[in-house]
Each structure stands twice: as structure tokens, then as C-alpha cells.
């Protein structure tokens, strides 16, 4: 039986992707080098281990929507799923390195986006849970297949600045909001009726009107 270990060594922003993409560098180590690995079909669940760091007052305020009032974080601050990723590792004997691509979203309806946006500095604690299939040659040279042990995982602390620089690269001075179709049609109608150039102008006018409205 092949025994593999995994470590996340680094992370970088993919510059030439159509959508935000982080690439994690994995080191895969074969602890049974007598069995030659032909290929690994690797799947990974990436989780955010929110309790594994401290948060300053500003970050606590920015994360209220996600975890509730800070006074309750002893019950509400929990780890949660960020994303799934997969990659194929080539043939190796003792060790190899592969790039694991992790698609990212700037949709603020997604918990991970709210979390990363809420961090002003420091690092986001991540946990990588591995699964998948290992193809290898046994002592007689016959091709075999085995499953990666469900206990295989690796930790990594992602710099918050890396996430922020990625979103600045893909969406400079911008953010994404998803609206229901009915709400979009109302906003679009308001924009047309007012002769406004952009949706941002429409939203700004509505916010200004709310701010200047006299209290009843």
C-alpha cells in the first residue's frame, strides 16, 4: 500500500486566468518509495479554520454578518468549507511538487468572500483535506490502484494581503453584488427614469436620498 504525505509550501496569484485563481504549491512525499507512483488523481477540500487566529476590533465588526456579535463567538466562530480543488500528479518515486489551482469568487453572498474581505492584515488559517486515487507499480511491476487515506491533511496560513492583491488585480476599485431579477429590474427602471449613466450613480442617489430624508 502506498503511503503519501502532503504539505502546502506556498501560494501565488495566477495572473493569466479569466477569473480569480490562487495556485497552491503542494509537496507530495512517497513514504513507501519501493512502490513507484505512476499517477495520483488528487482531490482536495479546502476549509477555513476561523478559530485559529485572533481578530482586532475592526475585523470583528467586519465579520459580524458572518459570525454574529463578538460576544457570541465562543459558540458561533467555527471552521467552514471554502472550496474544492483537484489536480493530477505525474509519475514520481520519492517526492514531487504540483500546483493545486483553487478558483476564487468575489461574490459577497459566499461566506469565504465575506471572511477574506473582513481580514485587514495577518493570515487566514486553512486546512487541506485530501482524497483521491493512487496508481502505482507493485514489487512484481503490476499496475495497482489504491485510495488516499482519509486522514491525510495539511495546514497553511494564507496571507490576507495576497487575497486582497488578487481581487485588486482582477477587479480594480470594484466589488460584485448579486441581485434578484426583480430587484435588478427595479433598479434598472430607476436608472433609466432618472437618466443616470451607471448603476453606481443610481445607488449613490438612492443612498443620498435616504441620508437626507428627515426623520419621522
Amino acid at each position: 500500500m502506498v503511503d503519501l504525505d502532503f504539505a502546502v509550501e506556498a501560494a501565488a496569484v495566477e495572473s493569466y486566468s479569466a477569473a480569480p485563481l490562487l495556485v497552491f504549491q503542494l509537496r507530495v512525499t512517497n513514504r513507501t518509495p519501493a512502490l513507484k507512483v505512476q499517477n495520483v488523481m488528487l482531490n482536495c477540500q479546502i476549509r477555513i479554520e476561523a478559530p485559529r487566529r485572533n481578530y482586532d476590533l475592526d475585523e470583528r465588526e467586519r465579520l459580524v454578518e458572518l459570525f454574529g456579535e463578538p460576544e457570541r463567538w465562543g459558540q458561533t466562530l467555527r471552521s467552514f468549507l471554502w472550496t474544492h480543488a483537484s489536480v493530477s500528479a505525474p509519475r514520481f518515486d520519492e517526492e514531487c511538487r504540483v500546483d493545486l489551482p483553487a478558483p476564487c469568487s468575489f461574490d459577497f453572498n459566499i461566506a469565504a468572500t465575506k471572511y477574506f474581505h473582513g481580514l485587514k492584515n495577518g493570515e487566514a488559517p486553512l486546512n487541506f483535506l485530501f482524497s483521491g486515487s493512487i496508481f502505482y507499480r507493485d514489487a512484481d511491476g503490476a499496475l495497482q490502484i489504491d485510495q488516499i487515506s482519509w486522514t491525510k491533511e495539511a495546514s497553511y496560513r494564507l496571507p490576507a494581503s495576497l487575497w486582497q492583491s488578487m481581487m485588486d488585480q482582477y477587479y480594480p476599485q470594484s466589488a460584485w453584488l448579486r441581485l434578484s431579477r426583480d430587484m435588478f429590474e427595479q433598479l434598472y427602471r430607476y436608472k433609466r427614469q432618472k437618466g443616470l449613466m451607471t448603476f453606481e450613480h443610481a445607488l449613490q442617489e438612492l443612498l443620498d436620498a435616504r441620508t437626507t430624508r428627515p426623520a419621522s
Side-chain angles (χ1 to χ4, degrees):
M1 177 178 179
V2 176
D3 185 14
L4 301 181
D5 279 344
F6 303 90
V8 183
E9 296 188 322
V13 177
E14 173 55 60
S15 300
Y16 302 104
S17 174
L21 187 71
L22 280 175
V23 178
F24 294 94
Q25 185 183 85
L26 296 182
R27 185 179 77 245
V28 186
T29 304
N30 182 5
R31 298 182 62 187
T32 51
L35 301 175
K36 309 303 183 184
V37 176
Q38 299 297 305
N39 179 259
V40 181
M41 303 300 294
L42 184 63
N43 300 315
C44 182
Q45 180 187 121
I46 308 176
R47 299 184 63 83
I48 295 174
E49 300 290 331
R52 294 187 179 179
R53 62 157 285 170
N54 295 320
Y55 303 87
D56 63 27
L57 291 176
D58 183 47
E59 290 170 332
R60 287 171 178 258
E61 190 280 328
R62 293 164 68 90
L63 293 171
V64 161
E65 185 180 2
L66 193 57
F67 300 121
E69 295 298 330
E71 294 78 12
R72 300 183 57 247
W73 280 20
Q75 292 75 43
T76 61
L77 191 65
R78 295 288 184 268
S79 66
F80 59 95
L81 174 66
W82 171 21
T83 190
H84 291 90
S86 60
V87 69
S88 176
R91 182 189 181 281
F92 67 98
D93 294 337
E94 297 183 2
E95 186 177 278
C96 77
R97 284 174 171 80
V98 293
D99 289 337
L100 177 69
C104 303
S105 172
F106 209 27
D107 182 349
F108 277 84
N109 289 287
I110 297 175
T113 302
K114 296 177 183 178
Y115 181 79
F116 287 119
H117 183 72
L119 303 185
K120 301 305 294 180
N121 47 54
E123 300 164 328
L126 305 179
N127 194 31
F128 293 71
L129 307 178
F130 298 101
S131 62
S133 301
I134 309 167
F135 299 86
Y136 66 98
R137 298 283 180 182
D138 63 17
D140 297 324
L143 185 63
Q144 305 289 337
I145 184 172
D146 207 347
Q147 297 299 307
I148 295 172
S149 170
W150 62 270
T151 62
K152 297 297 181 177
E153 58 185 68
S155 298
Y156 183 74
R157 301 187 73 86
L158 178 72
S161 59
L162 186 64
W163 171 273
Q164 294 156 6
S165 65
M166 175 177 63
M167 291 309 175
D168 287 342
Q169 174 181 318
Y170 281 90
Y171 306 115
Q173 298 298 317
S174 303
W176 287 98
L177 294 176
R178 182 176 62 85
L179 300 176
S180 69
R181 290 186 179 179
D182 288 344
M183 181 60 66
F184 171 78
E185 290 297 339
Q186 292 182 55
L187 182 61
Y188 194 20
R189 186 181 306 113
Y190 180 86
K191 175 178 174 293
R192 296 196 305 269
Q193 291 172 348
K194 294 290 186 175
L196 301 173
M197 293 295 294
T198 66
F199 287 102
E200 187 172 350
H201 288 143
L203 289 170
Q204 188 63 60
E205 185 168 297
L206 289 167
L207 289 171
D208 290 345
R210 182 179 179 85
T211 301
T212 58
R213 185 181 304 160
S216 55

